[in-house]
């Protein structure tokens, strides 16, 4: 049985096509200002890669903040449920799932079957989301993907006082003016963000094992800071940004079995 | 490319507000018994206020630099510029604001909450019971008595939403000079719904989306000011608003915020008789005078 998951996120749209638990194709398109066109583009691209026609998909499930706008989906599921579903599929022993996306952070505690026990979400404040790192990279005049290497080089912990991304931007500029090395500033940024994500995770309670999902999971500098902060190892899938779409595709398969 | 064309291509800083100083030329400081001074080193702006025998003599306001003592020194120098008053003649200096503990030439540091309440009492008169200080990087709702003494307060200093810095970011994004934001936001025919994002970073993306949908800059500013006013009212209502109500800090000069606050609170804010941005430094200068008198008496 072939199904698809469409994760319509704030920054990117991810589509993943699944056949009996095996990934056939996936694609990412920037959400931009025309969300509908971006969803269609991502979907077509994944179909093409898998060499499939739309009719061959038995069930399509949408998730993500823009999931309501995926008109061709047969059903939808919240990001929280999709995350939990996919996390236990990838790592059966996971009981705590942390997802840090572009504009949202989530901490989820779940059962062995992926059912959600408790969760916390921050979608109000950029300080606990990927946007925070982007803003800081801009202030430091470096590329986002240069942050990790710099951060991992740093040997020094310097404190960051500001929580707010806007205030932190000014603080970063002052730190540059004060002659602090860029790598130490980047590390401070990672530590500050890890601290906030960990605080959110502690509110729902941390039970081992812990999985880290979402695009920020691809930043080893953040991951290192996060592990230090939690004093635990975290499991990260090779492509953490696709986990929401995977969860949706898995749910699509379940729903189709139950439905038709 | 010539140097001049490089200059012309330099991006205009829409957020940058005017720095200024003022003096009362009718006062001869040489006749004064007590000369006191208050310096408010805020996170975004710094002010210095000089009093001669309890009368406002001179003040200044400028942008805070990366170093608090230097910013305090610059603010004081600029307030004194052209007055011939040497700094040594000032008998007592009180520092306040975010950078207050770091000023070596200040005799004492007092919190900005106390100073704003005291300053508002001077600017608006003893009937003020609720002071909203909307500063560069924080926002405080203060309740006070008829002497300007703080009875209760609440503040947001964690988040740029509802602060001057948040407004600067929006002015820069929309390329509207900061002083024109208020009037521009009031020029819309109909009030749009407020922006839905709390976070200024998210509100920026939302604002760009609205512009793409064909909204005018003025309409986007109206939506942003509306959201900011609403957020501020939430802070105020947690502490309760008792009449009379006054606004201090830089945003007190933004008519777009003041009008929307008044509409939502259904209370008119008192008209300032003096620059509301100097309220903190003014309160500090008043404390300085009282402290010096106490020192003389003992």
């Amino acid at each position: 049985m072939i199904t698809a998951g469409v994760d319509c996120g704030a920054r990117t749209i991810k589509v993943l096509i699944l056949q009996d638990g095996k990934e056939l194709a996936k694609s990412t398109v920037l959400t931009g200002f025309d969300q509908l066109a971006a969803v269609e583009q991502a979907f077509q691209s994944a179909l093409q890669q898998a060499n499939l026609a739309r009719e061959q998909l038995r069930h399509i499930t949408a998730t993500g903040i823009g999931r309501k706008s995926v008109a061709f989906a047969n059903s939808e599921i919240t990001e929280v449920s999709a995350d939990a579903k996919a996390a236990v599929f990838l790592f059966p022993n996971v009981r705590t799932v942390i997802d840090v996306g572009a504009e949202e952070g989530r901490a989820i505690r779940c059962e062995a079957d992926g059912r959600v026990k408790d969760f916390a979400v921050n979608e109000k404040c950029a300080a606990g989301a990927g946007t925070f790192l982007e803003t800081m990279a801009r202030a430091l005049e470096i590329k986002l993907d240069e942050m990790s290497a710099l951060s991992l080089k740093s040997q020094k912990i310097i404190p960051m006082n500001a929580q707010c991304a806007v205030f932190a931007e000014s603080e970063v500029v002052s730190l540059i003016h004060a002659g602090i090395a860029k790598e130490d500033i980047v590390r401070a940024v990672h530590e500050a963000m890890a601290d906030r994500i960990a605080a959110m995770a502690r509110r729902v309670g941390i039970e081992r094992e812990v999985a880290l999902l979402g695009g920020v999971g691809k930043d080893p500098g953040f991951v290192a800071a996060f592990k230090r902060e939690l004093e635990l190892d975290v499991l990260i899938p090779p492509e953490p940004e696709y986990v929401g779409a995977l969860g949706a595709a898995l749910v699509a398969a379940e729903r189709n079995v139950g439905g038709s | 490319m010539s140097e001049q064309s490089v200059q012309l291509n330099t991006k205009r800083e829409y957020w940058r507000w005017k720095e200024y100083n003022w003096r009362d030329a009718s006062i001869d400081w040489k006749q004064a018994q007590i000369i006191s001074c208050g310096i408010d080193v805020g996170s975004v702006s710094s002010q210095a206020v000089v009093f001669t025998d309890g009368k406002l003599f001179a003040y200044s306001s400028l942008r805070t630099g990366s170093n608090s003592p230097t910013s305090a020194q610059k603010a004081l120098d600029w307030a004194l510029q052209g007055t011939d008053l040497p700094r040594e003649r000032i008998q007592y200096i009180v520092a306040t604001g975010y950078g207050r503990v770091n000023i070596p030439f200040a005799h004492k540091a007092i919190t900005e909450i106390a100073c704003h309440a005291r300053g508002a009492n001077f600017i608006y008169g003893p009937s003020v019971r609720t002071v909203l200080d909307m500063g560069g990087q924080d926002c405080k709702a203060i309740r006070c008595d008829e002497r300007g003494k703080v009875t209760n307060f609440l503040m947001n200093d964690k988040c740029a939403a509802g602060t001057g810095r948040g407004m600067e970011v929006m002015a820069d994004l929309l390329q509207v000079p900061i002083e024109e934001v208020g009037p521009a936001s009031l020029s819309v025919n109909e009030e749009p719904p407020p922006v839905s994002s709390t976070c200024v970073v998210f509100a920026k993306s939302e604002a760009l989306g609205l512009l793409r949908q064909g909204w005018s800059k003025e309409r986007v500013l109206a939506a942003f000011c509306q959201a900011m006013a609403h957020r501020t009212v939430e802070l105020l209502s947690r502490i309760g608003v008792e009449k009379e109500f006054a606004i201090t800090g830089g945003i007190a000069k933004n008519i777009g915020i003041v009008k929307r606050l008044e509409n939502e609170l259904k209370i008119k804010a008192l008209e300032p008789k003096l620059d509301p941005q100097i309220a903190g430094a003014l309160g500090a200068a008043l404390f300085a005078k009282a402290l010096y008198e106490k020192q003389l008496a003992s």
Side-chain angles (χ1 to χ4, degrees):
Chain A
M1 179 180 30
I2 306 175
T3 60
V6 180
D7 181 1
C8 196
R11 188 61 47 83
T12 52
I13 289 158
K14 281 83 56 179
V15 175
L16 189 141
I17 298 177
L18 199 69
Q19 181 168 33
D20 304 322
K22 284 215 169 54
E23 176 191 307
L24 288 183
K26 58 183 183 304
S27 72
T28 303
V29 169
L30 282 175
T31 307
F33 289 100
D34 191 347
Q35 191 169 275
L36 294 178
V39 166
E40 194 54 39
Q41 194 192 336
F43 189 57
Q44 288 302 339
S45 157
L47 280 175
Q48 243 167 41
Q49 273 179 52
N51 205 11
L52 288 169
R54 186 176 291 223
E55 300 74 53
Q56 290 171 273
L57 300 177
R58 295 283 290 276
H59 195 105
I60 303 166
T61 300
T63 188
I65 186 142
R67 63 180 180 273
K68 304 263 181 226
S69 67
V70 186
F72 57 78
N74 303 99
S75 67
E76 55 180 70
I77 182 172
T78 65
E79 302 92 295
V80 170
S81 300
D83 275 349
K85 195 87 207 164
V88 296
F89 173 80
L90 294 167
F91 308 114
N93 293 328
V94 160
R95 296 293 174 273
T96 307
V97 184
I98 291 152
D99 184 335
V100 190
E103 294 198 356
E104 198 170 303
R106 292 183 281 274
I108 306 155
R109 223 147 39 84
C110 62
E111 313 267 11
D113 61 359
R115 265 183 307 151
V116 174
K117 274 162 85 176
D118 196 6
F119 70 95
V121 178
N122 159 41
E123 82 280 34
K124 291 252 182 282
C125 169
T131 306
F132 183 72
L133 296 179
E134 285 180 353
T135 310
M136 295 310 113
R138 257 202 310 279
L140 283 156
E141 295 177 332
I142 57 174
K143 292 204 186 89
L144 187 60
D145 54 18
E146 292 172 329
M147 289 183 92
S148 273
L150 278 171
S151 173
L152 294 172
K153 243 178 29 191
S154 162
Q155 299 294 320
K156 226 190 326 188
I157 297 185
I158 54 158
M160 283 256 307
N161 299 317
Q163 261 194 33
C164 171
V166 173
F167 297 166
E169 213 178 328
S170 316
E171 191 172 347
V172 162
V173 172
S174 321
L175 291 171
I176 296 170
H177 287 165
I180 309 282
K182 272 192 182 176
E183 61 240 43
D184 295 332
I185 303 177
V186 177
R187 176 167 174 179
V189 165
H190 279 140
E191 301 275 351
M193 186 161 158
D195 180 65
R196 275 187 296 273
I197 305 285
M200 179 176 66
R202 287 192 192 101
R203 283 209 303 279
V204 299
I206 297 167
E207 204 180 322
R208 288 175 70 179
E209 311 223 324
V210 180
L212 176 64
L213 318 176
V216 176
K218 290 200 295 189
D219 178 343
F222 170 77
V223 173
F226 191 55
K227 285 181 184 170
R228 272 196 298 271
E229 178 64 37
L230 283 186
E231 296 177 336
L232 273 177
D233 198 18
V234 295
L235 300 163
I236 304 170
E239 290 175 306
E241 72 274 33
Y242 278 103
V243 173
L246 172 65
L250 288 166
V251 168
E254 284 179 7
R255 285 183 180 166
N256 191 57
V257 170
S260 54
Chain B
M1 204 185 280
S2 73
E3 210 180 298
Q4 197 185 3
S5 66
V6 171
Q7 277 290 317
L8 287 172
N9 286 336
T10 307
K11 198 178 162 233
R12 186 168 167 197
E13 293 171 308
Y14 292 92
W15 55 264
R16 195 178 278 281
W17 35 268
K18 275 191 204 79
E19 302 183 324
Y20 52 87
N21 62 357
W22 174 93
R23 62 174 289 211
D24 185 342
S26 71
I27 294 177
D28 178 10
W29 61 264
K30 293 186 183 85
Q31 309 294 320
Q33 300 289 313
I34 299 177
I35 301 183
S36 63
C37 169
I39 303 178
D40 181 357
V41 182
S43 46
V44 172
S45 72
S46 295
Q47 287 83 25
V49 168
V50 181
F51 269 86
T52 48
D53 295 330
K55 281 209 186 76
L56 183 60
F57 171 61
Y59 64 78
S60 70
S61 175
L62 43 78
R63 198 155 184 97
T64 302
S66 53
N67 176 296
S68 305
T70 314
S71 300
Q73 182 68 61
K74 277 190 180 161
L76 180 54
D77 287 348
W78 207 31
L80 296 180
Q81 195 183 62
T83 65
D84 315 325
L85 170 62
R87 203 187 85 194
E88 302 68 47
R89 182 67 171 77
I90 299 173
Q91 285 131 325
Y92 208 100
I93 299 177
V94 167
T96 187
Y98 179 77
R100 66 180 177 275
V101 289
N102 241 340
I103 318 298
F105 53 89
H107 298 87
K108 198 178 163 74
I110 297 179
T111 73
E112 63 267 33
I113 317 243
C115 289
H116 268 277
R118 186 73 187 80
N121 180 277
F122 185 87
I123 297 178
Y124 297 95
S127 59
V128 174
R129 288 295 169 279
T130 310
V131 180
L132 176 69
D133 170 35
M134 299 188 77
Q137 287 205 10
D138 64 19
C139 182
K140 310 174 200 77
I142 307 165
R143 294 278 298 266
C144 61
D145 66 15
E146 72 285 353
R147 290 166 304 152
K149 205 169 163 305
V150 176
T151 53
N152 200 0
F153 76 94
L154 266 177
M155 77 189 268
N156 159 39
D157 59 351
K158 293 264 178 281
C159 166
T163 68
R165 190 72 198 97
M167 193 53 98
E168 288 179 4
V169 167
M170 223 19 99
D172 225 26
L173 180 79
L174 296 171
Q175 306 191 340
V176 175
I178 191 95
E179 284 96 350
E180 291 166 28
V181 163
S185 79
L186 291 175
S187 71
V188 292
N189 296 326
E190 203 187 338
E191 188 77 359
V195 295
S196 57
S197 313
T198 304
C199 175
V200 173
V201 175
F202 294 163
K204 269 170 83 176
S205 332
E206 193 177 340
L208 286 175
L210 293 172
L211 289 174
R212 291 251 179 157
Q213 285 173 33
W215 283 41
S216 66
K217 282 180 186 181
E218 290 75 15
R219 197 150 182 248
V220 175
L221 282 175
F224 182 71
C225 289
Q226 182 65 44
M228 183 160 166
H230 180 70
R231 191 175 156 77
T232 310
V233 167
E234 280 176 353
L235 181 79
L236 274 168
S237 55
R238 283 199 345 251
I239 198 165
V241 179
E242 192 190 329
K243 280 189 180 178
E244 300 287 337
F245 168 62
I247 311 173
T248 61
I251 294 192
K253 297 176 185 174
N254 182 323
I255 186 79
I257 297 294
V258 174
K259 285 278 173 253
R260 288 179 175 89
L261 276 173
E262 290 179 338
N263 285 345
E264 198 166 333
L265 288 171
K266 298 187 175 65
I267 297 177
K268 250 188 106 47
L270 291 172
E271 290 282 338
K273 285 172 280 184
L274 282 169
D275 179 359
Q277 200 169 355
I278 64 165
L282 200 71
L286 290 164
F287 279 123
K289 176 173 181 278
L291 285 163
Y292 185 66
E293 284 166 342
K294 212 166 141 189
Q295 194 177 299
L296 283 181
S298 65

